[in-house]
Structure formats: C-alpha cells, structure tokens
Amino acid sequence: MFQKETVTTQTGGFFTLMEVIYHTTVRSLRQGHRNAVVGLMMSVLKTLVMVGAFLVMFLVLGLRSSPIRGDFLLFIMSGIFMYMTHIKALSAVAGADGGASPMMQHAPMNTIVAIAAAALSSLYEQFFALSLILTIYHIGFTPITIYDPAGALCMMLLAWFTGVAVGMVFRAIGPWIPDLSGLIKQLYIRINMIASGKMFVVNTLPASMVAIFDWNPLFHIIDQVRGFVFLHYSPFVTSITYPMYVALALIMLGLMGEFYTRGKVSLSWTAGR
C-alpha cells in the first residue's frame, strides 16, 4: 500500500544499463591488482617487454633499419600494439563472468554486461599503454610522425573488435568442452605470434606465403595499420573489409552460442573437474 512503484522507461533502462556496465568495467579493471595504477602499469610493462623482445630479435637477425621507410621501433610497435589489443580482448571476453557466477545473482547484472565490461576494460588498458609508450618515446627519445592517426586508431578498434568476436566464440564453447576450448585458445594465441604478420612486410611476401596467413583477420589489420602509420607504404594485398565481415560473423555465432549456453549452464557442470 505504501510501496512506491517505479516505472522504468526505455531511456531510463538504457542509462541504468550503461551505469551498470561502467561500474562493472571499473571492477574488471581492478581485478588484476588491488591498486588500479599498479595494474595499469603492469599492462604497460607487458607491452614494453614484448616490444623489447622483438627489438632484440630483429637486432640479432641483423635488421637494424625498418623494412618500411620510417622509424624502426614504430614499425615493431605497430604490430605489437595490434596483436596485444586483439589477444587481450579475446582473453578478457572468453574469461568474463558466466551465467553460474555469483555476480549474476545481483540484479540487474547479466552476462552481456559482464562481456561488455571485460571488453571495455581491455580496450582501456591497451589504449592507455599505447598512449603512454608513444608519448614517452616521442618526448624522451625521438620525435615520431604518424601519417594518419585517425585511421591507425580505427585499426586498433578493429583489432579489439575482432578479438572480442573470437573471444565470444571461445566463451560460447567453453562450458561444453572447457579443456579443449582452453587448449585451442592458447594455440590460437601462440600461432598468432607468427601468423599475425607483425614481423614482416606483407607487400614483399611471395604469393605462396600470403596464402598461408591470408585467413587471419589480424594479418590484414596489422598490414593495414602500417599503411596509416607510414607515409611511404600502401598495402595492396590485404583489405579492411575482410576482418570486419569475419568479426561480425563470429559475433553472431558467439551470441547465439552464449544465449543457448546461458539457459543450460549450472554450477554442477564443473563439479567433477
């Protein structure tokens, strides 16, 4: 009798959902470390370690100059940043809270909010790492020039989106075959160390080698981003539309699998493991 009825409009429901996603994203960012700043610095450090490892490898191989006219370290970082953005998004989405998670007991929390929060937190971490590393390199070492910054940023978002799409597929099949799903995911990450094409210039590869890696959306993205980063490079073997179509198809498959799995999953699935 004295209870106040709350009428939720579509607009109000949308803003409520955005608020829940925001708070869940902050929670996801703080999961890696109790101190949020330290957690972000660890993300930056991981990227720096990979850049340093590839720099040493290139120097050992005797490649002391960029295969493309421009900054050598920028050539390495353009591939590393796209790879890390893709892989981090994949891992975050695949490992987001599922239907049997205790967090799902708190309305209006649901799996879509958990997926969106995990994806956005990974994007935030990688964008922060990219901005910080490029700023320090530009100010402290040598000035750098990016031919088309907006285009390069769009390629980063595409690398993130394809990572989310692949992560959705692994997330959908994970509850059914968890061991095999984890194995395939790790295999995919390891294969992309080479198959992503971050170590070589695609335009200089023979057609037989291009055919080996052409299936990989990240292969196209890394080649395309170098066309936006360097003035004197025009990718003509790869395309932007292919990763977009693949990502959209995988997102649809992942969402269908997620909706079906959400109605079947229970805590007893993992009781015997």
Side-chain angles (χ1 to χ4, degrees), residues 170 181-193:
F170 283 118
S181 174
L183 179 62
I184 296 174
K185 185 179 76 172
Q186 291 301 317
L187 185 63
Y188 177 84
I189 293 173
R190 299 294 181 266
I191 288 176
N192 263 301
M193 291 290 290

Side-chain angles (χ1 to χ4, degrees), residues 53-67 72 76:
F54 273 85
L55 177 61
V56 171
M57 185 179 67
F58 271 88
L59 293 178
V60 169
L61 293 174
L63 302 174
R64 297 180 180 272
S65 60
S66 174
F72 176 47
I76 295 176

Side-chain angles (χ1 to χ4, degrees), residues 22-264:
Y22 168 76
H23 289 293
T24 311
T25 302
V26 174
R27 172 181 173 272
S28 180
L29 281 169
R30 296 179 65 91
Q31 276 184 331
H33 199 279
R34 182 174 299 178
N35 189 310
V37 176
V38 175
L40 288 172
M41 290 299 104
M42 290 299 296
S43 180
V44 173
L45 184 60
K46 290 176 183 178
T47 305
L48 281 175
V49 168
M50 182 165 284
V51 171
F54 273 85
L55 177 61
V56 171
M57 185 179 67
F58 271 88
L59 293 178
V60 169
L61 293 174
L63 302 174
R64 297 180 180 272
S65 60
S66 174
I68 304 173
R69 187 188 302 178
D71 189 271
F72 176 47
L73 198 56
L74 192 59
F75 170 80
I76 295 176
M77 288 191 291
S78 62
I80 296 296
F81 287 148
M82 298 303 108
Y83 171 80
M84 292 294 291
T85 301
H86 180 83
I87 295 304
K88 289 288 187 179
L90 185 159
S91 301
V93 170
D97 291 329
S101 170
M103 282 298 295
M104 297 303 133
Q105 307 301 319
H106 303 277
M109 185 68 178
N110 56 57
T111 54
I112 297 301
V113 171
I115 292 169
L120 289 173
S121 65
S122 72
L123 178 62
Y124 177 81
E125 285 182 354
Q126 291 309 304
F127 183 78
F128 177 82
L130 181 150
S131 302
L132 184 62
I133 292 172
L134 288 181
T135 300
I136 293 175
Y137 184 60
H138 178 78
I139 296 175
F141 295 90
T142 181
I144 58 175
T145 301
I146 297 177
Y147 170 59
D148 187 351
L153 180 60
C154 288
M155 289 300 99
M156 179 184 177
L157 292 175
L158 186 56
W160 169 77
F161 183 60
T162 54
V164 170
V166 177
M168 284 295 299
V169 174
F170 283 118
R171 176 186 176 81
I173 65 175
W176 302 95
I177 44 173
D179 296 333
L180 183 59
S181 174
L183 179 62
I184 296 174
K185 185 179 76 172
Q186 291 301 317
L187 185 63
Y188 177 84
I189 293 173
R190 299 294 181 266
I191 288 176
N192 263 301
M193 291 290 290
I194 303 297
S196 60
K198 60 180 174 288
M199 295 189 297
F200 33 74
V201 181
V202 177
N203 284 359
T204 62
L205 295 177
S208 57
M209 285 196 66
V210 173
I212 296 175
F213 304 119
D214 198 41
W215 59 270
N216 191 356
L218 193 55
F219 177 78
H220 292 256
I221 293 170
I222 290 178
D223 187 51
Q224 289 293 323
V225 76
R226 284 169 176 162
F228 292 110
V229 171
F230 297 100
L231 174 63
H232 302 286
Y233 183 70
S234 299
F236 57 82
V237 177
T238 57
S239 70
I240 297 176
T241 55
Y242 174 74
M244 294 175 62
Y245 291 147
V246 171
L248 290 173
L250 293 178
I251 281 286
M252 291 299 104
L253 290 174
L255 285 174
M256 288 189 292
E258 168 64 24
F259 290 145
Y260 180 77
T261 303
R262 187 169 58 183
K264 304 290 183 180

